[in-house]
Amino acid sequence: MKQKIIVGLLALICVSMFFQPVWAAPETAEVKTPEPAAVSTQEKLVLSMTQFMNSLPQFYISGNASYDKVYPDYEKIMYSFDFDYYVKRPAGFQLNIEGDLQNKQLLFNGKTITVYDEDKAVYAVMETPATIETALDQAAQEYGLDFQLLDVARNDFGEDLLKDVIKSAYVGTSKIGDISCNHVVFTKKDRSIQLWIEAGDKPFLRKVVVNFKGNPAMPSWNIEITDWNLKPVLPEGWTTFVAKPGMKQIPFLKASERQNGK
């Protein structure tokens, strides 16, 4: 059997009507245009971060991440990995992770996404649309590939964070390492998201904590970015996977096949 990779008011308008004598002059109702909701400090910080990050034609980040894996009876065990992530817009990235349970490489070259599992010496390739956003959308929808770190390269990364927010808050300033950051939190129906955004004119994202509320165990993702490089050296062929002897290509398992128990 072949191995497969399983790669997330109404305003009720109450109209009150009244009658007037027919000889009374009609009154003209004053129609007021609703004022737009004020943008909060925390929203401004996320939008500023997004605008800045979208202006970067390429970048390299590295750091570390930890995440909870939930076992039967909602037992949680935390695992971790180190990562480096090269991005060149609009159509290239390379993500390398090395950790407790995962040692993988993900490559995108504008035509395909390749996922290589070093521990199992297997890789899989999917054809994709030409941009990072559309490729990641397809990978998530068709194959269930939903890796939190990849979203940092999306042009709509910040806007997506602000969708469907129930409440939010500006927590204050704190340091990640020796870097002063603005700490903000956003609560959605299924998760809460905390961000630490570097203070100043270069609002780099420095840390993300996501708590998933849909699971009774409340698992979390913690990502800390320790290094940003805006002029990384990207060698020829950096997004192309070259299989070595002994590596085996296997097919991706589509989300629909997983749901059918295949």
Side-chain angles (χ1 to χ4, degrees), residues 137-155:
D137 285 342
Q138 177 178 296
Q141 293 166 8
E142 294 189 11
Y143 298 97
L145 177 60
D146 187 15
F147 199 73
Q148 303 290 320
L149 193 53
L150 292 173
D151 291 340
V152 176
R154 288 177 173 271
N155 286 330

Side-chain angles (χ1 to χ4, degrees), residues 72-124:
D73 299 324
Y74 308 118
E75 187 71 31
K76 288 190 299 187
I77 296 180
M78 179 171 283
Y79 298 96
S80 63
F81 60 83
D82 296 326
F83 66 85
D84 54 62
Y85 190 20
Y86 299 82
V87 174
K88 187 172 184 179
R89 293 188 169 98
F93 67 66
Q94 179 187 125
L95 173 63
N96 305 293
I97 63 176
E98 182 177 352
D100 299 330
L101 297 180
Q102 302 186 71
N103 294 282
K104 292 183 173 64
Q105 183 177 65
L106 291 83
L107 302 167
F108 172 60
N109 59 11
K111 297 179 181 179
T112 60
I113 289 179
T114 301
V115 179
Y116 166 58
D117 188 319
E118 181 181 350
D119 296 330
K120 298 178 181 178
V122 297
Y123 67 98

Side-chain angles (χ1 to χ4, degrees), residues 33-106:
T33 303
E35 295 183 2
V39 179
S40 65
T41 297
Q42 52 271 23
E43 290 173 315
K44 289 178 182 178
L45 287 166
V46 170
L47 294 173
S48 176
M49 174 196 70
T50 301
Q51 183 178 16
F52 172 70
M53 290 172 57
N54 287 349
S55 72
L56 305 176
Q58 63 181 34
F59 61 83
Y60 161 86
I61 59 175
S62 63
N64 54 78
S66 60
Y67 60 97
D68 292 319
K69 188 173 177 64
V70 181
Y71 292 92
D73 299 324
Y74 308 118
E75 187 71 31
K76 288 190 299 187
I77 296 180
M78 179 171 283
Y79 298 96
S80 63
F81 60 83
D82 296 326
F83 66 85
D84 54 62
Y85 190 20
Y86 299 82
V87 174
K88 187 172 184 179
R89 293 188 169 98
F93 67 66
Q94 179 187 125
L95 173 63
N96 305 293
I97 63 176
E98 182 177 352
D100 299 330
L101 297 180
Q102 302 186 71
N103 294 282
K104 292 183 173 64
Q105 183 177 65
L106 291 83

